[in-house]
Amino acid sequence: MQTGEKNLGAQAAPAAGAEPIVSIRDLHKSFGDTQVLRGIDLDVHRGEVVVVLGPSGSGKSTMLRCVNLLETPTSGQIVFEGTNICEKGVDLNAVRSRLGMVFQQFNLFPHLSVKRNVMIAQQKVLKRSREEAERVAIEQLTRVGLAERLDFMPSQLSGGQQQRVAIARALAMDPHVMLFDEATSALDPELVRDVLAVMRELAQGGMTMIVVTHEMGFARDVADRVVFMEGGVIVEEGTPEQVFEHPKSPRTAEFLGSID
């Protein structure tokens, strides 16, 4: 798919009354006296690609980490597939197995081969047999263009290839939603394209995605909805055309103007 090609495979607008797959309500998060999130409300529907933009320190990554319960919300609720995952007694492993997450850093095991990196969580969390985990690992690594690197060690790969292994590892868990936290920000510019290409293919295939990124081209071309955050609140949200071409908030226009 060409870089500037609109994602024609994006899902149609959700039907009226359709239950969101992720529903965030009045989400607050503080670290000591520092309030990072100040009442976030956001719905994400099945098959939707939501791209979250904003300056550093706006709370984007904290919001994403709360969705995966890597950070515990101070207050508010996050309903994922009909369950408030902030309530006591929720099975965190079960929740996280359905929420794939890709970080800035690749977090691969340096002593394991590429294939074993993708197999290990399947075996430990999903209790798949070695044979099944290996089959899925090969399938997902092929999907991200690394079929010829199965037995390489992470140190033998470029940063972009390592990030694609991290995506394959997340996909191997059969997630219902994929969360991307600045997945390309640690990469050299020439390596970004391949990782974004994988993310575009996932979007075309109907994967539900929440993407925190500074990649404006990706947001314009692939997002169903763009969210702009600053100071721990959502300042504006809308279609890419609405946000990029006709921003309602002067702060949104100022931010977009500073990076174009």
Side-chain angles (χ1 to χ4, degrees), residues 67-85:
V67 171
N68 205 24
L69 295 178
L70 293 174
E71 298 289 355
T72 302
T74 302
S75 63
Q77 68 174 24
I78 300 169
V79 176
F80 172 50
E81 297 189 317
T83 298
N84 181 4
I85 62 176

Side-chain angles (χ1 to χ4, degrees), residues 49-61:
V49 178
V50 176
V51 174
V52 185
L53 308 176
S56 297
S58 59
K60 310 182 301 296
S61 293

Side-chain angles (χ1 to χ4, degrees), residues 39-107:
I40 299 292
D41 293 315
L42 181 66
D43 287 339
V44 179
H45 288 84
R46 197 173 301 275
E48 205 177 15
V49 178
V50 176
V51 174
V52 185
L53 308 176
S56 297
S58 59
K60 310 182 301 296
S61 293
T62 298
M63 179 185 73
L64 209 62
R65 291 173 65 85
C66 284
V67 171
N68 205 24
L69 295 178
L70 293 174
E71 298 289 355
T72 302
T74 302
S75 63
Q77 68 174 24
I78 300 169
V79 176
F80 172 50
E81 297 189 317
T83 298
N84 181 4
I85 62 176
C86 299
E87 292 181 344
K88 290 183 179 179
V90 169
D91 185 341
L92 295 185
N93 286 333
V95 170
R96 289 177 182 148
S97 72
R98 292 177 283 144
L99 284 165
M101 189 155 186
V102 180
F103 302 88
Q104 292 182 36
Q105 302 301 325
F106 325 123
N107 299 321

Side-chain angles (χ1 to χ4, degrees), residues 65-259:
R65 291 173 65 85
C66 284
V67 171
N68 205 24
L69 295 178
L70 293 174
E71 298 289 355
T72 302
T74 302
S75 63
Q77 68 174 24
I78 300 169
V79 176
F80 172 50
E81 297 189 317
T83 298
N84 181 4
I85 62 176
C86 299
E87 292 181 344
K88 290 183 179 179
V90 169
D91 185 341
L92 295 185
N93 286 333
V95 170
R96 289 177 182 148
S97 72
R98 292 177 283 144
L99 284 165
M101 189 155 186
V102 180
F103 302 88
Q104 292 182 36
Q105 302 301 325
F106 325 123
N107 299 321
L108 302 180
F109 293 108
H111 63 291
L112 296 180
S113 70
V114 164
K115 184 172 66 178
R116 288 290 296 139
N117 263 281
V118 180
M119 290 173 60
I120 189 166
Q122 298 183 63
Q123 293 176 270
K124 290 185 177 296
V125 178
L126 301 183
K127 307 303 181 185
R128 286 177 177 161
S129 68
R130 183 182 180 91
E131 293 75 20
E132 175 71 359
E134 183 175 27
R135 182 190 66 76
V136 173
I138 293 171
E139 177 182 299
Q140 295 301 341
L141 286 163
T142 300
R143 183 179 185 181
V144 301
L146 293 173
E148 298 178 356
R149 300 288 190 273
L150 299 177
D151 297 318
F152 282 46
M153 303 302 286
S155 61
Q156 296 175 292
L157 303 182
S158 70
Q161 289 171 329
Q162 290 186 61
Q163 190 61 294
R164 283 187 278 154
V165 174
I167 294 173
R169 178 179 58 189
L171 292 174
M173 303 296 287
D174 297 328
H176 298 183
V177 178
M178 284 287 285
L179 311 174
F180 291 88
D181 186 12
E182 299 282 12
T184 60
S185 66
L187 302 178
D188 293 333
E190 64 268 24
L191 301 177
V192 169
R193 182 181 61 184
D194 290 341
V195 173
L196 289 180
V198 171
M199 294 169 66
R200 289 171 186 272
E201 291 292 335
L202 291 177
Q204 279 198 313
M207 175 65 74
T208 308
M209 297 163 61
I210 308 175
V211 183
V212 171
T213 187
H214 285 98
E215 297 292 338
M216 297 300 109
F218 179 89
R220 285 178 183 270
D221 296 344
V222 180
D224 295 298
R225 194 149 38 101
V226 174
V227 173
F228 174 66
M229 287 183 62
E230 186 174 54
V233 300
I234 292 176
V235 175
E236 183 166 354
E237 64 177 289
T239 66
E241 182 181 8
Q242 289 168 341
V243 173
F244 283 103
E245 306 300 333
H246 310 286
K248 296 176 182 176
S249 166
R251 182 63 190 105
T252 308
E254 181 185 4
F255 174 78
L256 294 173
S258 71
I259 56 178

Side-chain angles (χ1 to χ4, degrees), residues 27-39 57 74-75 231-232:
L27 181 64
H28 290 255
K29 176 63 181 177
S30 297
F31 295 97
D33 295 331
T34 304
Q35 196 172 9
V36 179
L37 299 177
R38 304 167 181 266
T74 302
S75 63

